[in-house]
Amino acid sequence: MKRIFSGVQPTGFLHLGNYLGAVRQFVALQHDYDCIYCVVDLHAITVWQDPAELRAATRQVAAAYLAAGVDPQRCIIFNQSQVPAHAELAWIFNCVTRLGWLNRMTQFKEKAGKHREQASSGLYVYPNLMAADILAYKATHVPVGEDQKQHLELTRDVASKFNFDYGVEFFPVVEPLILSAAARVMSLRDGAKKMSKSDPSDASRLNMTDGPDEIAQKIRRAKTDSEMLPGPGVLDAQGALPEETRKARPEAYNLLGIYAALSDKSWAEVLGEFEGQPFSHFKQVLTDLAVAVLGPIGEEMQRMTGDPGYVDGILKTGAEKADALATPVVREAQDIVGLLRP
Ligand code: TYM
């Protein structure tokens, strides 16, 4: 059976991009695969986190998994710091990865920005910890949004170099699962920017915990253009949206893509439905749909936030199960490397 691993950082609010790009896939995959879903708190501290907020955000990500429908009876849900194997394997990978590979990581460049000298060394070696997360379970498939693709390529490189250097076939070569029609949800205020937890403008994203009024207001204020909505004639022969077409009206196609993902409809169906119409009507339909999908999840997340004992119990059981899977793999990796276990 294929083994799925994925994770979300407990930093700031979870938003529609996290839901459509990742969490919704987690729910869909659990029926057919052995799934491990992590709250990656060690990744979160690569940039400053207030300790009390980090604890709350860790519970909130776990609550989002559960509220969206991840079943703790079927899947393992835990927070990364509670399974030491992640950090142990990450150290070995720090010694496998080449500096040149890390220098090419676009997320480091974006996050460190102009203050590269002030960035933590953890932020720089972040992708090695991510490779350790996945490979400590010998996971083969990783559901993520498009922004994680480069990190997964590095995971493949680390696995191959480890296997080659030590002459083993130990770590599998991982496949990214970038499944969603909305694998890259853009900001509601600027179609050229990714929807992100770190955007200072709350109006740029739909948070998973936003209520109906906030959702309605944010969609009403979402940036659009002055033309009517396009029809299916813009699609290519395969029914896909050409990149050039998207770039010409990024805000319009972002909202249409969100609608397609939330309604599980194809581009052709959605464009057929709204062709030639003004944004006003479409925005109302999109609001109703977003409220119908996100509303119950947000309410359930709020309810669980009021019952931290329940969430902590799931994380604790999950950590025990995860530890039992990861520790033997990492011990074997240590043996391969020649680290003596007297
Ligand atoms: P993070 O916490 O930034 O995001 C969690 C998941 O949400 C996806 N995502 C998006 N998808 C579509 N549109 C967007 N605007 C958008 N923003 C975020 C991300 O692609 C991701 O799937 N490095 C990872 C966490 C991680 C991880 C792992 C993932 C650590 N170890 C091992 C997979 C496997 C991250 O920062 O995700």
Side-chain angles (χ1 to χ4, degrees):
M1 191 160 174
K2 281 186 203 160
R3 180 171 283 171
I4 305 275
F5 183 98
S6 197
V8 174
Q9 291 195 66
T11 47
F13 292 107
L14 287 184
H15 54 70
L16 183 70
N18 299 129
Y19 177 65
L20 291 178
V23 179
R24 201 170 66 150
Q25 267 57 258
F26 299 179
V27 180
L29 290 163
Q30 67 184 339
H31 303 292
D32 300 316
Y33 305 106
D34 174 15
C35 296
I36 304 167
Y37 299 129
C38 187
V39 185
V40 292
D41 49 5
L42 295 176
H43 277 106
I45 61 167
T46 55
V47 297
W48 168 253
Q49 302 297 327
D50 172 82
E53 281 174 22
L54 177 60
R55 275 188 283 275
T58 302
R59 291 187 176 118
Q60 205 207 30
V61 173
Y65 291 172
L66 295 165
V70 175
D71 177 355
Q73 305 299 328
R74 278 179 190 272
C75 310
I76 297 178
I77 300 176
F78 72 108
N79 58 317
Q80 192 184 27
S81 59
Q82 298 313 297
V83 178
H86 292 242
E88 291 176 317
L89 188 58
W91 181 258
I92 294 179
F93 290 166
N94 284 342
C95 304
V96 173
T97 299
R98 305 293 93 182
L99 284 185
W101 303 357
L102 294 176
N103 287 339
R104 284 196 286 276
M105 294 292 116
T106 52
Q107 283 220 342
F108 175 77
K109 290 182 199 160
E110 279 165 20
K111 285 200 176 174
K114 290 190 209 96
H115 311 289
R116 199 184 152 97
E117 296 292 311
Q118 294 305 317
S120 74
S121 41
L123 189 65
Y124 190 63
V125 293
Y126 178 116
N128 293 338
L129 179 59
M130 184 160 159
D133 296 339
I134 299 164
L135 296 174
Y137 301 89
K138 294 196 175 180
T140 48
H141 291 76
V142 183
V144 283
E146 215 170 83
D147 61 343
Q148 296 302 314
K149 210 168 157 189
Q150 197 187 30
H151 286 157
L152 292 184
E153 279 158 13
L154 188 127
T155 301
R156 292 164 67 99
D157 290 344
V158 174
S160 303
K161 182 162 163 51
F162 181 96
N163 289 346
F164 179 81
D165 286 353
Y166 293 102
V168 289
E169 279 303 319
F170 187 65
F171 287 121
V173 174
V174 172
E175 291 295 334
L177 289 179
I178 301 176
L179 298 173
S180 171
R184 191 170 176 81
V185 178
M186 309 310 278
S187 156
L188 299 179
R189 307 297 302 162
D190 178 353
K193 276 201 330 204
K194 185 178 81 162
M195 185 177 284
S196 152
K197 296 173 202 155
S198 54
D199 193 317
S201 162
D202 192 56
S204 71
R205 61 184 162 259
L206 291 183
N207 297 311
M208 284 180 74
T209 47
D210 281 346
D213 294 346
E214 282 159 308
I215 293 176
Q217 200 193 35
K218 287 178 182 177
I219 294 181
R220 208 177 317 116
R221 290 173 52 203
K223 193 173 164 200
T224 51
D225 54 42
S226 54
E227 290 172 50
M228 295 295 162
L229 287 160
V234 300
L235 300 175
D236 66 18
Q238 285 74 43
L241 183 70
E243 209 35 48
E244 285 312 306
T245 309
R246 184 195 301 267
K247 274 193 198 144
R249 299 183 69 186
E251 286 85 13
Y253 287 112
N254 186 39
L255 293 179
L256 287 161
I258 291 173
Y259 181 82
L262 284 174
S263 60
D264 269 324
K265 288 183 183 166
S266 66
W267 274 110
E269 286 174 283
V270 171
L271 294 175
E273 204 174 325
F274 296 103
E275 177 167 19
Q277 296 192 20
F279 278 99
S280 52
H281 168 67
F282 167 66
K283 279 185 165 183
Q284 189 51 54
V285 181
L286 177 61
T287 299
D288 293 344
L289 179 61
V291 169
V293 176
L294 292 182
I297 299 177
E299 278 168 29
E300 185 65 2
M301 282 172 72
Q302 305 280 24
R303 198 189 61 73
M304 284 188 208
T305 310
D307 185 5
Y310 172 69
V311 174
D312 288 4
I314 300 229
L315 289 172
K316 189 165 188 293
T317 311
E320 284 161 10
K321 289 189 201 159
D323 191 73
L325 293 175
T327 298
V329 174
V330 175
R331 293 290 163 266
E332 213 178 321
Q334 290 171 333
D335 289 342
I336 291 170
V337 171
L339 302 172
L340 181 66
R341 281 197 283 147

